[in-house]
């Protein structure tokens, strides 16, 4: 327990998994937490001693992965304390040390990670001059850093956090309270665990020296970080934190990429959620843009697809290169199928490599790596006929790495390194000789048995072996008088005696010694092979990057061919022209045919489209589908339309739906206004804005006034004059078309028949005659008396039978007071 307390003091913020034999044990408060979270029995030790019982619980070490997964997903950190010397050779208490610290953002455990999603840990750093954020996925080696110096730097940081969605955020102890308050007030990174780190790890000199050492360079200018002091501070602190948790060199982290916000289309967390890009409103990944486009074969391809969805490109050259590749691939159905079959043979090279370099890979991991390398020549052969840029790369086949693995690793190795059976026969001379000795037991026993029967004349004599007593000669009691004098009694049984001879004892020592040496030697040889593979990390990582890109482009080609997508035209203009556009997700979900619609939007004649019509008519679908088409186009994917001309979009904003944030004391309307303020303060003429029912969360006149003012601001302010779709139930907003040449009125079409409404989901020029809200309420199952009373009230309101507070009067009035108020407003 002294040993336990010494180690626990060094890791007070982590649950300590303390290895005792075949179990990881937890004690004291850790045991109470572990028992509760893992639903395992809480027991105790030292029950009868003066110090009182010590709470204790434990799990089998070989099944630890499942338990770790539960703890990490709930935000706990776990320090793994292993036995670091052989108990048979230990003098006194076996030496134990923490070999790894698992945290939500740094784990590489297969049972915890989602193969289709990166697991980033972030570090944030703030100075008077700038904000900086760095992101690292330990399981793949991806390492990014960024710096924001403009006045809108907090908004830029929020967008970046929305793109990477880190599981854990490291901040300096000095700034921890400030960051925590900021996240809480803004609703940012709600699921991420915040981890304080020592202030000195963010110091520029320390961070720079650490990064120079990691990449073995003399300057960071080659990474674009010549002037990025804050970005370097964040990246260095993050690298230090990850080194401390992994307790080893991070050789698979071979480069640091500077994130340039100008390189991609930006979206904040609200937009990512509202458009259901990678996760639905219910938290499910089904029926999202990601699930629709994901035909990838590899985990690394799926993760890259997700990254492209969250960070669509803003480079015309990059987008056109991707579209060229998708077009060429989609023109050959047979070629796509063959290439897909080749990629099916490739495992997740990025995460395999991380386990190799972090020294947690087993023989099966190396076997998966070997099989993936074996597929490379076939993939390269399939690409020979393609001419599109980046579709036929001259990538490294890693032949020497594959040959080394083929010669050394058996085809059916065990999952652990302590069982033997790792190394292929013929690879190592001494190992083969030891195996021959160990495997000669049957022939030796048969020969010895025949020899001893002849020598003693005992035909029932048998030579046997068991794990407890080793080798022995068994003689029944009827023949004990014939036992030679050189037999040494070993065990007495009811019907027989067991003996050993000097010859048998010598052979036993030789065989058992060989078996122990085999396991030891195989482990040594395996570690040598793993180390050689780790030394080739930069080469393997480069190939993995090429294959991930190829996987995504092939996925685009397949989904485009399957769903009748067309190639969009990307340009520098401010035009958005989409003919017969469709919602890429809903058109697959619905049983009936999806109704396509057109969009014409720009920053001059059609800058703001005011969209009116009933609920359920398709206004929100129209808004979202056009945003998704823009995102798909700038990802380099074909789009669901008959024609699409996309003037590059730098930001997409959405103000859609309504939700309270009670945890930070904000009402639905406050959340709505915060999101609206962000749009008004950061939009540019290249942005694309989706506004749905702005102002509906407060009193009618207040809400209408706010909506009107917001629309006017976006129309009149030249630096905020963004392409805007504005869906509303405020019919009064349609009058903006009369005063502003860039405003156009559109509506979704419906038809009334026999007191019922029929939704056509068609968007056309014009203004909806009314909202049909009561009919929608009836369709939703509102009781008939409520529906009828609502009709009576709306009839009075339409005849202006109301007072100045907006309440229906009991008697008819001429409505002059309401008319005066309306005239004053407009």
């Amino acid at each position: 327990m002294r040993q336990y307390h010494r180690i626990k003091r060094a890791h007070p913020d982590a649950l300590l998994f303390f290895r005792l034999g075949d179990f990881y044990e937890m004690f004291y408060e850790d045991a109470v937490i572990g028992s509760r979270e893992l639903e395992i029995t809480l027991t105790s030790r030292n029950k009868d001693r003066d110090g009182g019982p010590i709470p204790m619980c434990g799990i089998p070490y070989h099944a630890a992965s499942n338990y770790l997964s539960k703890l990490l997903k709930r935000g706990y950190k776990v320090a793994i304390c292993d036995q670091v010397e052989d108990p048979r050779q230990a003098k006194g208490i076996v030496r134990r040390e923490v070999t790894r610290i698992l945290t939500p953002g740094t784990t590489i455990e297969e049972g915890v990670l989602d193969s289709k999603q990166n697991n980033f840990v972030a570090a944030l750093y703030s100075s008077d001059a700038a904000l900086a954020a760095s992101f690292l996925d330990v399981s793949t080696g991806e390492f990014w850093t960024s710096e924001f110096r403009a006045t809108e730097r907090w908004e830029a940081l929020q967008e970046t956090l929305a793109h990477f969605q880190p599981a854990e955020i490291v901040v300096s102890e000095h700034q921890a309270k400030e960051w925590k308050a900021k996240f809480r007030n803004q609703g940012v990174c709600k699921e991420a665990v915040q981890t304080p780190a020592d202030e000195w790890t963010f110091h520029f000199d320390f961070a720079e020296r650490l990064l120079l050492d990691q990449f073995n360079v003399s300057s960071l200018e080659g990474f674009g970080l010549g002037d990025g002091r804050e970005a370097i501070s964040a990246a260095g602190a993050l690298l230090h934190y990850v080194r401390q948790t992994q307790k080893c060199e991070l050789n698979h982290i071979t480069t640091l990429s500077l994130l340039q916000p100008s390189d991609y289309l930006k979206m904040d967390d609200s937009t990512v959620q509202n458009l259901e890009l990678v996760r639905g409103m219910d938290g499910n990944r089904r029926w999202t843009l990601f699930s629709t486009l994901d035909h990838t074969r590899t985990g690394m391809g799926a993760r890259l697809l997700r990254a492209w969805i969250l960070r669509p490109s803003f480079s015309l050259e990059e987008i056109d290169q991707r579209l060229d590749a998708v077009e060429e691939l989609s023109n050959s159905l047979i070629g796509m199928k063959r290439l897909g079959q080749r990629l099916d043979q490739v495992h997740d090279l990025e995460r395999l490599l991380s386990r190799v370099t972090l020294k947690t890979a087993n023989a099966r991991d190396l076997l998966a790596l070997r099989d993936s390398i074996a597929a490379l020549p076939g993939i390269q052969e399939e690409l020979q006929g393609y001419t599109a840029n980046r579709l036929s790369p001259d990538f490294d086949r890693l032949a020497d790495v594959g040959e080394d693995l083929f010669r050394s690793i058996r085809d059916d190795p065990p999952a652990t390194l302590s069982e033997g059976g790792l190394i292929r026969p013929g690879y190592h001379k001494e190992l083969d000789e030891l195996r021959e000795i160990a495997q000669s037991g049957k022939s030796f026993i048969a020969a010895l048995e025949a020899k001893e029967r002849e020598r003693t004349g005992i035909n029932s004599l048998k030579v046997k072996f068991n794990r407890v007593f080793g080798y022995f000669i068994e003689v029944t009691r009827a023949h004990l008088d014939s036992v030679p004098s050189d037999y040494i009694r070993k065990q007495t049984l009811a019907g027989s005696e067991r003996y050993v001879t000097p010859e048998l004892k010598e052979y036993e020592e030789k065989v058992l010694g060989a078996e122990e040496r085999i396991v030891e030697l195989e482990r040594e040889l395996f570690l040598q092979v793993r180390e050689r593979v780790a030394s080739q990390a930069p080469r393997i990582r480069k190939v993995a990057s090429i294959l991930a890109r190829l996987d995504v482009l092939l996925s685009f080609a397949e989904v485009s061919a399957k769903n009748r997508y067309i190639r969009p035209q990307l340009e520098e203009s401010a035009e958005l022209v989409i003919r017969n556009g469709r919602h890429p997700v809903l058109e697959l979900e619905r049983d009936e045919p999806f109704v396509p619609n057109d969009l014409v939007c720009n920053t001059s004649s059609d800058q703001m489209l005011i969209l009116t019509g009933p609920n359920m008519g398709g206004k929100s679908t129209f808004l979202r589908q056009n945003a998704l088409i823009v995102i798909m186009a700038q990802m380099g994917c074909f789009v669901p339309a008959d024609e699409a001309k996309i003037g590059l979009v730098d930001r997409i904003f959405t103000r859609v739906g309504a939700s309270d944030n009670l945890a930070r004391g904000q009402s639905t309307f406050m959340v709505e206004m915060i999101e609206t303020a962000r749009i008004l303060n950061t939009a540019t003429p290249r942005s694309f804005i989706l506004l749905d029912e702005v102002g509906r969360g407060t009193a009618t006149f207040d809400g209408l006034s706010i909506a009107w003012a917001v629309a006017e601001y976006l129309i009149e302010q030249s630096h905020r004059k963004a392409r805007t779709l504005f869906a509303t139930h405020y019919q009064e907003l349609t009058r903006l078309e009369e005063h502003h040449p860039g405003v156009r009125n559109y509506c979704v079409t419906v038809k009334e028949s026999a007191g019922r409404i029929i939704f056509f989901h068609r968007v056309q020029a014009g203004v909806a005659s009314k909202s049909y809200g009561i009919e929608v309420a009836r369709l939703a199952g509102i009781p008939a008396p409520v529906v009828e009373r609502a009709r009576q009230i709306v009839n009075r309101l339409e005849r202006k039978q109301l007072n100045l507070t907006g309440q229906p009067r009991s008697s008819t009035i001429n409505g002059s007071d309401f008319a005066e108020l309306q005239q004053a407003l407009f």
Side-chain angles (χ1 to χ4, degrees), residues 474-716:
E474 188 171 274
V475 180
T476 61
R477 288 195 172 275
H479 299 92
L480 291 183
D481 292 341
S482 303
V483 172
S485 60
D486 61 339
Y487 275 30
I488 304 168
R489 182 180 284 108
K490 189 168 188 176
Q491 187 184 16
T492 299
L493 301 178
S496 62
E497 295 280 348
R498 291 176 174 177
Y499 302 89
V500 295
T501 65
E503 180 184 8
L504 188 57
K505 202 167 184 180
E506 180 183 354
Y507 178 78
E508 179 182 74
E509 291 174 357
K510 182 179 180 181
V511 170
L512 296 183
E515 290 177 348
E516 287 185 12
R517 177 57 182 154
I518 286 170
V519 172
E520 180 183 346
L521 182 56
E522 284 207 72
R523 179 182 171 83
E524 291 174 5
L525 294 172
F526 173 81
L527 295 180
Q528 291 173 13
V529 174
R530 192 171 69 182
E531 191 62 32
R532 288 199 298 272
V533 173
S535 70
Q536 302 303 314
R539 294 171 59 198
I540 298 172
R541 196 168 190 282
K542 186 175 181 181
V543 172
S545 177
I546 293 171
L547 294 181
R549 184 185 182 88
L550 176 61
D551 195 9
V552 177
L553 294 173
L554 180 62
S555 180
F556 285 171
E558 289 180 336
V559 76
S560 296
K562 178 182 177 182
N563 297 336
R564 300 177 296 107
Y565 294 169
I566 57 97
R567 176 171 180 160
Q569 176 186 339
L570 277 295
E571 55 188 33
E572 293 282 359
S573 74
E575 294 291 327
L576 276 179
V577 179
I578 298 170
R579 304 294 182 191
N580 285 326
R582 313 186 304 274
H583 193 295
V585 181
L586 293 185
E587 74 165 338
L588 302 180
E589 183 182 5
R590 298 162 66 101
D591 294 329
E592 64 272 15
F594 187 88
V595 178
N597 278 296
D598 296 345
L599 171 69
V600 176
C601 193
N602 50 52
T603 55
S604 54
S605 61
D606 298 84
Q607 185 232 326
M608 179 176 288
L609 310 187
I610 304 291
L611 184 61
T612 55
N615 291 317
M616 294 179 61
K619 299 194 301 295
S620 293
T621 297
F622 180 73
L623 266 61
R624 287 179 169 90
Q625 78 182 40
N626 287 298
L628 293 177
I629 287 172
V630 169
I631 290 169
M632 290 172 64
Q634 293 193 208
M635 287 167 60
C637 183
F638 285 17
V639 299
D642 290 348
E643 176 190 350
K645 182 189 293 183
I646 311 293
L648 282 177
V649 173
D650 66 352
R651 276 185 170 95
I652 292 179
F653 295 99
T654 63
R655 163 78 288 282
V656 177
S659 62
D660 288 320
N661 195 325
L662 300 179
R664 49 192 169 117
Q666 294 174 351
S667 66
T668 299
F669 186 63
M670 174 60 80
V671 173
E672 177 184 339
M673 289 299 99
I674 288 174
E675 293 180 0
T676 304
R678 187 179 302 153
I679 294 170
L680 299 180
N681 290 325
T682 57
T684 75
R686 279 203 173 276
S687 300
F688 188 32
I689 301 174
L690 311 180
L691 298 175
D692 195 356
E693 304 299 349
V694 168
R696 298 291 288 185
T698 186
T700 302
F701 292 159
D702 282 354
L704 174 56
S705 302
I706 291 171
W708 186 287
V710 166
E712 280 189 337
Y713 186 84
L714 291 172
I715 295 165
E716 296 173 351

Side-chain angles (χ1 to χ4, degrees), residues 441-477:
K442 288 184 178 180
S443 59
F444 174 82
I445 288 174
L448 180 64
E449 194 173 81
K451 173 184 170 184
E452 291 300 315
R453 283 180 178 180
E454 182 179 356
R455 181 163 81 98
T456 63
I458 305 173
N459 290 329
S460 61
L461 178 149
K462 293 180 180 179
V463 179
K464 294 183 177 181
F465 170 84
N466 68 37
R467 292 186 176 274
V468 177
F469 293 101
Y471 288 94
F472 54 86
I473 299 171
E474 188 171 274
V475 180
T476 61
R477 288 195 172 275

Side-chain angles (χ1 to χ4, degrees), residues 278-522:
V278 294
R279 187 183 300 175
M281 292 295 186
D282 59 357
N284 201 307
R285 195 155 56 195
R286 191 165 179 257
W287 301 122
T288 62
L289 183 63
F290 177 82
S291 68
T292 300
L293 300 182
D294 183 23
H295 286 211
T296 57
R297 264 76 176 186
T298 68
M300 53 198 176
R303 291 191 297 274
L304 182 62
L305 168 62
R306 192 175 189 276
W308 283 6
I309 289 175
L310 295 174
R311 297 192 299 277
S313 179
F314 192 68
S315 165
L316 269 181
E317 181 182 4
E318 172 66 21
I319 295 169
D320 282 336
Q321 286 177 355
R322 295 179 188 177
L323 290 172
D324 288 344
V326 174
E327 184 170 31
E328 191 166 5
L329 284 167
S330 60
N331 286 335
S332 173
L333 295 178
I334 296 176
M336 280 196 297
K337 183 177 180 180
R338 286 203 307 260
L339 189 54
Q341 290 171 341
R342 299 286 191 182
L343 280 172
D344 281 333
Q345 302 169 33
V346 177
H347 297 268
D348 195 334
L349 290 178
E350 290 177 338
R351 286 189 169 162
L352 286 172
L353 181 60
S354 74
R355 292 199 288 275
V356 168
T357 58
L358 295 174
K359 301 180 180 179
T360 64
N362 59 27
R364 293 179 183 177
D365 290 328
L366 294 193
L367 202 62
L369 184 60
R370 185 200 74 184
D371 292 344
S372 301
I373 292 172
L376 297 181
I379 293 172
Q380 201 164 45
E381 182 181 338
E382 291 295 338
L383 294 174
Q384 292 306 311
Y386 294 99
T387 60
N389 188 20
R390 301 195 187 182
L391 251 191
S392 53
D394 185 21
F395 60 76
D396 187 348
R397 293 190 180 190
L398 303 171
D400 54 331
V401 180
E403 176 62 23
D404 189 7
L405 292 172
F406 180 80
R407 287 189 307 105
S408 59
I409 305 300
R410 295 184 64 147
D411 291 336
D412 55 346
T416 66
L417 307 187
S418 59
E419 299 177 37
L422 307 170
I423 303 300
R424 187 185 291 273
Y427 177 72
H428 193 270
K429 184 178 179 181
E430 181 187 351
L431 180 60
D432 290 342
E433 291 173 351
L434 289 168
R435 281 174 173 163
E436 188 174 349
I437 293 172
Q439 293 167 4
S440 65
K442 288 184 178 180
S443 59
F444 174 82
I445 288 174
L448 180 64
E449 194 173 81
K451 173 184 170 184
E452 291 300 315
R453 283 180 178 180
E454 182 179 356
R455 181 163 81 98
T456 63
I458 305 173
N459 290 329
S460 61
L461 178 149
K462 293 180 180 179
V463 179
K464 294 183 177 181
F465 170 84
N466 68 37
R467 292 186 176 274
V468 177
F469 293 101
Y471 288 94
F472 54 86
I473 299 171
E474 188 171 274
V475 180
T476 61
R477 288 195 172 275
H479 299 92
L480 291 183
D481 292 341
S482 303
V483 172
S485 60
D486 61 339
Y487 275 30
I488 304 168
R489 182 180 284 108
K490 189 168 188 176
Q491 187 184 16
T492 299
L493 301 178
S496 62
E497 295 280 348
R498 291 176 174 177
Y499 302 89
V500 295
T501 65
E503 180 184 8
L504 188 57
K505 202 167 184 180
E506 180 183 354
Y507 178 78
E508 179 182 74
E509 291 174 357
K510 182 179 180 181
V511 170
L512 296 183
E515 290 177 348
E516 287 185 12
R517 177 57 182 154
I518 286 170
V519 172
E520 180 183 346
L521 182 56
E522 284 207 72

